Amino acid sequence: CSSSLAAVHAAGTAVHGCECDLALAMAVSLILEAQSTVGAAVVGMLAFDGRCKTLDVSANGYTRSESVGAATLQKADAGIKTAVLDGSLVRQDGRSASLTAPSGPQQQALIVAALIDGGVSASDLALVETHGTGTALGDPIEAGSLGGSVLDARAPEPALAVGGVKANIGHAEPAAGTTGL
């Protein structure tokens, strides 16, 4: 799920390290055969009603989607108005109970380290885009990690907006990271 964000991280690292002036990170997710969808449905990973309910108490699984995501990265130019990637970080989640059970402490440590890498404090954030698959297992772990690393480190006001694009378009699997970006 994070492979396309890992590609964005590598592209940003290459530009920042002067390996290149311009980098392109892309991801594509196409559902060409039914086997993986059937397999995910059989083990109960997919929402039986076809709706991804990110961070919702009625979350009952995710919805698969197709997507193409791309990001072009270059050094910041004062004359060009663009989005700025202040920093990024990639870390393996470590041992967890299963593919669908992320490690809360590892997620929390990653968020804190990414804020430090970007030179950003928790109180500087206005919006956080979550992975938010809409599963009763993963979403509470992610919400707890976000709470422990960001919400606990900022004042209650202004409120922090929390988004989850999967609730609108589904889970683009390998392209999920660039879709969220």
Side-chain angles (χ1 to χ4, degrees):
C1 303
S2 61
S3 60
S4 61
L5 284 179
V8 170
H9 172 73
T13 300
V15 169
H16 183 71
C18 298
E19 295 174 36
C20 59
D21 295 327
L22 185 70
L24 178 65
M26 293 184 66
V28 177
S29 178
L30 298 174
I31 303 170
L32 302 175
E33 296 182 356
Q35 289 92 332
S36 56
T37 301
V38 171
V42 167
V43 297
M45 295 170 66
L46 299 183
F48 62 86
D49 57 1
R51 305 220 35 223
C52 180
K53 294 172 257 346
T54 300
L55 301 174
D56 190 310
V57 70
S58 64
N60 62 357
Y62 74 95
T63 303
R64 298 186 76 207
S65 70
E66 299 180 319
S67 179
V68 175
T72 304
L73 291 95
Q74 65 184 35
K75 288 232 185 228
D77 182 343
I80 300 174
K81 290 204 173 245
T82 60
V84 176
L85 181 64
D86 287 323
S88 67
L89 199 63
V90 174
R91 184 178 291 165
Q92 205 275 342
D93 207 23
R95 186 178 298 264
S96 58
S98 72
L99 173 68
T100 61
S103 167
Q106 288 298 320
Q107 283 188 351
Q108 193 168 333
L110 176 69
I111 293 167
V112 170
L115 289 171
I116 292 168
D117 182 65
V120 177
S121 73
S123 59
D124 293 331
L125 299 176
L127 166 70
V128 173
E129 174 67 24
T130 65
H131 183 59
T133 55
T135 62
L137 177 62
D139 282 5
I141 294 171
E142 183 175 12
S145 299
L146 186 59
S149 58
V150 174
L151 296 180
D152 290 351
R154 59 183 280 131
E157 296 295 329
L160 176 66
V162 178
V165 73
K166 288 175 189 69
N168 296 312
I169 66 166
H171 189 345
E173 296 161 359
T178 52
T179 304
L181 182 66

